[in-house]
Amino acid sequence: MEWTTDILGADFQSCAVDATGTDGVVRRATLIRHRAEQGHAQDAPQRYGAVLFLHGWSDYFFNTELARFWAAQGYDFYALDMHNHGRSLTADMPGGYVANLIDYDAEINRAIGLIRNDRGPTAGGSLTLMGHSTGGLVAALWASRHPGSLQFLVLDSPWLEMHGSSLVRRAAQAMVAPLARLRPETVLRLPERGFYFRSISSTAEGEWALDEKYRPPLAFPVRAGWLSAVFAGHSQVARGLNLDIPVLVLTSSASANGMVWRESMRSSDAVLDVGVIALRAMALGRSVTLERIDGGLHDVFLSAPAVRKDAYARLARWINGFMHEALPEDRQEGDE
């Protein structure tokens, strides 16, 4: 591992992660870590474990506030810019494209191995996977394929189902399947909406400084193979994942969809149908907590300051109630 100063500044470093998938293809991702300038994060008096964050589609990791929140809670924070996204983008590859969501498994596995090595053999504690939107779908599916590898799963507006219902997905899936099979990288001519970007980017009407090279205003082109892969993931969730670890799902309390800008898009999820996401969340496992955030955006941790303060408070409450019960073994014995 060769860590270098990250684009987010002195508190963050990143390194390249090369991983070979089950199809034999080597793909490059980028692992980012947070380290406080004043002293190593692990020098804090109480460290509970590590968190690995997975971004959404056509996105990358940039939320320094989220990283510092986890550090303050007692966790070493890492994020992964998955292949064909963010820091891992290359000019010769289609941005955001993946033909099968299982292709992400190798780089997630590799990243977790590097995290364990980076933290050292005595660090201990729990491992939490956190995912946003499509990254939330990827995280949930990875957890289901790797039982025993995680202790906790936190999902921020995970894309667990299409708008409306599974009937909509099945109809769309049937239409896309032949093209996905024959010409998977074909771009689908779908309506382009930049409403969510408008609500978060400081170059529009939001407060977040986004690199448009990594997070384009209208997202990457939708390709048939990618959409088919997402549909397949939705189908797996609909059948139930039977996760045996505590899961937290956070969403906005309302959606605002449509092809015309509405002011309500400043305080609701303008990307997903939060009603169907809440329903699908219950199929993830036996211990699922759902938090609905009034005024939340698609990424609830990019919402207006008062709204995300509420989101962080709810996440902290869940951490204290679930995660801090699972102290490292060396801290359980003799603790007051």
Side-chain angles (χ1 to χ4, degrees):
M1 266 190 312
E2 184 178 346
W3 294 100
T4 59
T5 300
D6 188 64
I7 58 175
L8 296 179
D11 285 7
F12 296 85
Q13 299 85 43
S14 56
C15 70
V17 176
D18 290 330
T20 304
T22 56
D23 55 2
V25 176
V26 178
R27 298 178 177 88
R28 170 158 290 191
T30 307
L31 185 63
I32 304 101
R33 72 179 181 185
H34 169 60
R35 289 287 185 269
E37 263 189 311
Q38 288 148 357
H40 193 286
Q42 292 171 0
D43 294 336
Q46 184 85 310
R47 307 308 295 169
Y48 293 109
V51 174
L52 175 61
F53 175 84
L54 305 181
H55 57 78
W57 181 65
S58 195
D59 208 346
Y60 72 110
F61 175 71
F62 60 86
N63 192 340
T64 57
E65 185 178 89
L66 179 67
R68 291 176 178 129
F69 166 84
W70 277 108
Q73 297 295 313
Y75 294 86
D76 297 322
F77 182 87
Y78 299 81
L80 188 67
D81 273 13
M82 295 179 283
H83 72 269
N84 292 347
H85 286 86
R87 299 161 179 81
S88 310
L89 277 169
T90 58
D92 60 329
M93 296 298 290
Y97 183 73
V98 66
N100 190 325
L101 297 184
I102 202 171
D103 289 346
Y104 290 125
D105 280 24
E107 59 211 69
I108 295 172
N109 295 343
R110 178 73 174 136
I112 289 172
L114 293 174
I115 289 169
R116 289 181 176 134
N117 180 68
D118 185 52
R119 299 185 71 233
T122 61
S126 61
L127 176 63
T128 299
L129 193 57
M130 180 177 185
H132 165 61
S133 196
T134 310
L137 174 63
V138 171
L141 294 173
W142 186 92
S144 72
R145 288 192 290 265
H146 298 80
S149 297
L150 295 177
Q151 284 70 56
F152 306 99
L153 181 64
V154 176
L155 305 177
D156 170 12
S157 301
W159 191 16
L160 303 179
E161 183 58 277
M162 289 293 291
H163 286 75
S165 71
S166 60
L167 294 177
V168 176
R169 167 175 41 85
R170 289 170 187 164
Q173 193 168 14
M175 294 174 61
V176 170
L179 189 57
R181 188 165 52 251
L182 297 173
R183 291 186 293 160
E185 293 191 23
T186 299
V187 174
L188 302 178
R189 303 301 177 186
L190 301 177
E192 295 181 336
R193 300 163 69 246
F195 301 149
Y196 175 54
F197 184 90
R198 175 177 172 176
S199 69
I200 63 173
S201 174
S202 59
T203 62
E205 299 172 20
E207 65 175 282
W208 301 92
L210 306 180
D211 189 325
E212 294 185 15
K213 175 177 62 178
Y214 297 154
R215 209 297 175 198
L218 295 177
F220 295 127
V222 174
R223 299 176 187 272
W226 172 82
L227 189 56
S228 181
V230 170
F231 286 153
H234 290 166
S235 297
Q236 292 178 59
V237 172
R239 291 192 295 270
L241 297 186
N242 298 315
L243 299 178
D244 62 355
I245 57 175
V247 180
L248 172 64
V249 177
L250 304 109
T251 74
S252 176
S253 61
S255 293
N257 297 304
M259 296 308 301
V260 178
W261 170 263
R262 290 184 283 159
E263 285 301 304
S264 59
M265 291 176 175
R266 299 184 195 277
S267 57
S268 55
D269 191 325
V271 179
L272 299 181
D273 181 338
V274 296
V276 76
I277 298 305
L279 179 65
R280 281 288 177 259
M282 296 302 105
L284 293 175
R286 293 179 293 169
S287 179
V288 179
T289 303
L290 176 65
E291 292 282 359
R292 306 287 291 267
I293 311 299
D294 287 341
L297 296 177
H298 175 50
D299 184 339
V300 299
F301 297 107
L302 300 183
S303 304
V307 176
R308 66 178 187 267
K309 180 179 179 181
D310 177 39
Y312 278 119
R314 291 167 184 269
L315 175 54
R317 181 175 63 188
W318 191 85
I319 291 170
N320 289 327
F322 281 92
M323 296 176 66
H324 285 179
E325 291 296 315
L327 291 175
E329 291 183 4
D330 61 346
R331 297 193 186 279
Q332 288 179 342
E333 295 182 3
D335 282 354
E336 295 297 331

